[in-house]
Amino acid sequence: MESSFAIIAEPNRRSILSLLAASECSVGELERQLRMPQSSVSKHLKVLREAGFVEARVDAQRRVYRLRPEPLMEVDEWLTPFRRFWTAHVDALERHLDRMDATPETPTKGKKR
């Protein structure tokens, strides 16, 4: 079985996961949103389903897929020690934006905007 990292390395699978993170989708809905042929979408869904990233339920004549977050925990755990690299930058950006909001705008004399 492929690792979680190998599975999500494929860009189309990441796109499918992103769409399913927002809401459940049928194969047809995924086809339309991704502009991919049904056979390609089905192939990627099969890989994601076998790895436990998604699950399907039958709704009348169609299968509706939804995200299963548990396999993403492996990725989240692996990322934990690296978060400090971007957390400091995000915090600094937030402080900068707060300072910009707190600084009153000074009107410019004689200039038109």
Side-chain angles (χ1 to χ4, degrees):
M1 179 185 230
E2 288 183 85
S3 76
S4 296
F5 298 100
I7 290 166
I8 63 173
E10 206 288 324
N12 291 314
R13 291 185 202 138
R14 286 195 311 272
S15 295
I16 290 170
L17 291 173
S18 293
L19 290 171
L20 294 177
S23 68
E24 295 182 343
C25 294
S26 68
V27 176
E29 291 166 334
L30 291 168
E31 282 176 58
R32 284 187 293 282
Q33 291 187 51
L34 297 170
R35 296 188 175 141
M36 289 173 55
Q38 185 271 330
S39 58
S40 295
V41 171
S42 293
K43 177 185 79 168
H44 291 301
L45 283 170
K46 180 181 178 187
V47 172
L48 291 168
R49 190 179 64 248
E50 288 176 352
F53 280 90
V54 300
E55 61 187 9
R57 66 178 172 80
V58 177
D59 180 31
Q61 299 292 332
R62 62 189 192 140
R63 289 181 150 245
V64 178
Y65 287 84
R66 70 176 157 225
L67 185 68
R68 291 190 66 246
E70 295 85 2
L72 294 169
M73 289 179 193
E74 177 186 352
V75 177
D76 185 55
E77 287 173 21
W78 184 83
L79 284 170
T80 298
F82 300 98
R83 281 196 177 85
R84 66 183 174 91
F85 292 111
W86 66 79
T87 301
H89 295 292
V90 172
D91 290 345
L93 175 61
E94 184 176 19
R95 285 190 302 275
H96 174 71
L97 293 173
D98 287 344
R99 282 192 303 272
M100 288 178 63
D101 284 344
T103 306
E105 286 189 35
T106 55
T108 51
K109 223 178 203 178
K111 291 187 179 179
K112 292 184 180 179
R113 288 188 179 214

